Amino acid sequence: MLRNIEQTTESLLSEISFDCPEAFASQEGFAFQAFECAVFETELPNNRYAYTACNIHSKKADLIERRRKPLRHTDEDIAGILRRLQKSWVAGKGRLEIDSNTPLREEKLRAVMYELFRSVLPRYGYIVRDGQIELARKLLDAIAGRGTLLAEAAVGIGKTIAYIIIAVLVKRSRLNEHWNTTYFPEINAVDWRRMPVVVSTASIALQRAIEKDVIPEISRILLENGVINTPIKAVLAKGKSHYICEHNLRAYMRFEKKPEIASVLRRIALDGSKIDLAEIDAGTSGAGLSAHIKKKICVPGRCYKNCPNENECRFKAFRETIRKGTADIIICNHNLLLADAKLRAETGNSVLPQYQMMVLDEAHEVLQAARSIYGSALDAGTIADISRTVLDL
């Protein structure tokens, strides 16, 4: 397992306990315990000292350091030996670590959650908010109890950070695997492990803020404090019209007359990693693409049969990446979430992969999204089209 070794000094020091485990009470030289290990100091000839870590559960031992002087109980000295211990093959989990090969219990996650909101986040400038902690606790209880939570949070309470942290705790701890064999016997543990958490919002601005600001910040904090071992991976999923179609892009390039726009299109065609039309403008040095051009080069509602660009289709590759289940969190809007539900009900297919937890932010906008997905609209333009069709019969 890849273990994060860049914890801050303060978070490392919080791992230490000077209480000797009962299993080693008769053994001399106990120094401290951390990362599920007891560390012992042994005086060697020539005034040297050796420090050995012994795993509390497996009893396996590893020599982690030799030094000329005994361990001084200063922050710098203790943090140094803790970093060596953390790299040792006998080291176990940190006090707050939730990345796990086996599902963790709700009690462990609740303890980690309280520690994060009351002790860890304040070190990064966040204010302790009782309402935020209460929201996070109720959300964790709802997920652990296979329930649903309907919550109204005041502006500024920090609800986004609350549900992102809970989403990561649930996903990385494999909490939901505790009951999958009973309620969903057809889903195996590997599939559960891959299932992301879906976060659905109504506004593009909030989606971008979650992807670009909130998740990277929370990921950094959790990594630095040993809660997770690898960065949080998030994917922003949108409707087809937000992405570049390889076939439409190449077809439109042949007819573009303006040199500056043609240059932008060629650059997009050469850079196969570009797919989101919303991100194209940011990298074009002022030569943006109009809404008309974006409409011409986006993925159509129904892809072409026998498309000549199928093998190099970046949208297809993007969809496959989402389906492989490598993301911890998938961010989408209410329309895409409801369209996915409709597609599942009508055809058995889906736009989003199977997910184990769903958060609906800006839930007051869901009704309007449902009307647009499940309803039919009749406006003046449509009436005129129908009238002309009837008159032509």
Side-chain angles (χ1 to χ4, degrees):
M1 178 179 66
L2 178 62
R3 181 179 293 276
N4 170 56
I5 59 173
E6 298 300 327
Q7 282 184 250
T8 62
T9 298
E10 190 169 357
S11 68
L12 276 171
L13 294 176
S14 70
E15 298 285 348
I16 275 195
S17 170
F18 293 103
D19 296 328
C20 183
E22 291 185 8
F24 300 97
S26 61
Q27 189 169 333
E28 295 183 356
F30 173 76
F32 61 86
Q33 67 167 303
F35 297 107
E36 299 182 346
C37 289
V39 177
F40 296 90
E41 178 186 77
T42 304
E43 187 173 357
L44 303 174
N46 301 322
N47 295 322
R48 289 178 177 270
Y49 296 84
Y51 291 86
T52 303
C54 185
N55 188 282
I56 295 172
H57 308 293
S58 68
K59 306 300 188 294
K60 294 180 179 179
D62 182 28
L63 177 64
I64 58 174
E65 186 176 13
R66 284 193 179 95
R67 51 167 60 196
R68 292 183 181 274
K69 296 181 179 180
L71 179 68
R72 297 170 299 164
H73 286 73
T74 63
D75 290 355
E76 183 179 354
D77 205 19
I78 293 178
I81 198 170
L82 280 173
R83 288 191 171 90
R84 292 181 179 85
L85 170 60
Q86 194 179 16
K87 298 176 185 178
S88 170
W89 64 276
V90 300
K93 288 186 176 301
R95 191 170 54 87
L96 298 179
E97 185 177 345
I98 54 117
D99 270 342
S100 179
N101 291 324
T102 57
L104 299 182
R105 293 290 180 183
E106 180 187 357
E107 294 76 15
K108 164 75 173 179
L109 297 185
R110 188 180 287 109
V112 172
M113 180 202 72
Y114 281 125
E115 182 83 7
L116 287 174
F117 284 106
R118 296 198 180 278
S119 301
V120 175
L121 289 180
R123 297 204 299 266
Y124 292 84
Y126 292 90
I127 299 173
V128 176
R129 295 184 175 95
D130 292 334
Q132 183 186 48
I133 298 173
E134 183 70 4
L135 174 63
R137 183 189 66 78
K138 288 186 176 181
L139 182 56
L140 179 59
D141 290 347
I143 298 303
R146 304 177 299 279
T148 301
L149 174 67
L150 179 63
E152 183 176 3
V155 176
I157 201 174
K159 66 180 185 302
T160 305
I161 291 175
Y163 66 65
I164 290 298
I165 286 179
I166 296 302
V168 176
L169 294 183
V170 169
K171 174 66 167 62
R172 293 295 185 91
S173 69
R174 299 166 60 179
L175 172 69
N176 285 329
E177 288 183 37
H178 276 305
W179 44 270
N180 76 320
T181 54
T182 302
Y183 292 89
F184 302 97
E186 71 281 2
I187 302 178
N188 58 45
V190 174
D191 291 334
W192 268 109
R193 200 172 310 155
R194 291 174 178 171
M195 286 185 191
V197 173
V198 167
V199 174
S200 178
T201 79
S203 64
I204 293 177
L206 180 55
Q207 294 163 29
R208 301 299 296 175
I210 292 172
E211 181 196 24
K212 299 297 184 182
D213 299 326
V214 178
I215 288 179
E217 172 74 358
I218 294 301
S219 182
R220 179 178 67 87
I221 292 172
L222 297 185
L223 282 168
E224 288 180 357
N225 289 274
V227 181
I228 57 177
N229 298 319
T230 56
I232 302 169
K233 185 172 182 181
V235 175
L236 179 57
K238 304 178 182 179
K240 287 183 174 182
S241 61
H242 292 274
Y243 299 109
I244 295 170
C245 170
E246 204 72 37
H247 178 74
N248 286 347
L249 172 63
R250 294 173 187 244
Y252 184 80
M253 284 172 59
R254 298 196 297 267
F255 301 99
E256 181 54 55
K257 303 298 183 183
K258 294 181 180 179
E260 65 275 13
I261 299 299
S263 175
V264 172
L265 295 175
R266 283 195 299 271
R267 191 155 53 242
I268 296 171
L270 290 172
D271 185 0
S273 64
K274 295 288 186 181
I275 180 171
D276 192 337
L277 287 166
E279 296 179 352
I280 297 299
D281 292 342
T284 56
S285 302
L289 300 180
S290 66
H292 171 74
I293 295 175
K294 289 182 178 181
K295 188 174 181 179
K296 290 292 184 181
I297 66 174
C298 73
V299 178
R302 183 168 297 177
C303 290
Y304 308 104
K305 288 185 178 180
N306 304 318
C307 177
N309 303 108
E310 182 178 4
N311 292 334
E312 57 266 21
C313 177
R314 61 189 82 184
F315 176 68
K316 181 180 178 181
F318 174 72
R319 290 282 296 274
E320 285 301 315
T321 299
I322 293 179
R323 289 183 179 278
K324 284 179 181 176
T326 57
D328 294 304
I329 299 173
I330 294 179
I331 309 161
C332 67
N333 62 22
H334 298 335
N335 289 67
L336 183 61
L337 183 71
L338 294 174
D340 175 75
K342 183 179 180 183
L343 188 63
R344 290 173 190 262
E346 293 177 351
T347 68
N349 298 319
S350 65
V351 177
L352 300 172
Q354 295 282 7
Y355 47 89
Q356 59 175 295
M357 170 182 165
M358 176 179 63
V359 177
L360 279 175
D361 199 348
E362 300 177 315
H364 60 283
E365 301 285 354
V366 172
L367 179 58
Q368 183 58 41
R371 285 179 178 140
S372 66
I373 295 297
Y374 296 103
S376 299
L378 184 64
D379 54 27
T382 306
I383 294 174
D385 290 339
I386 294 173
S387 299
R388 282 192 293 269
T389 302
V390 172
L391 292 173
D392 290 340
L393 293 179

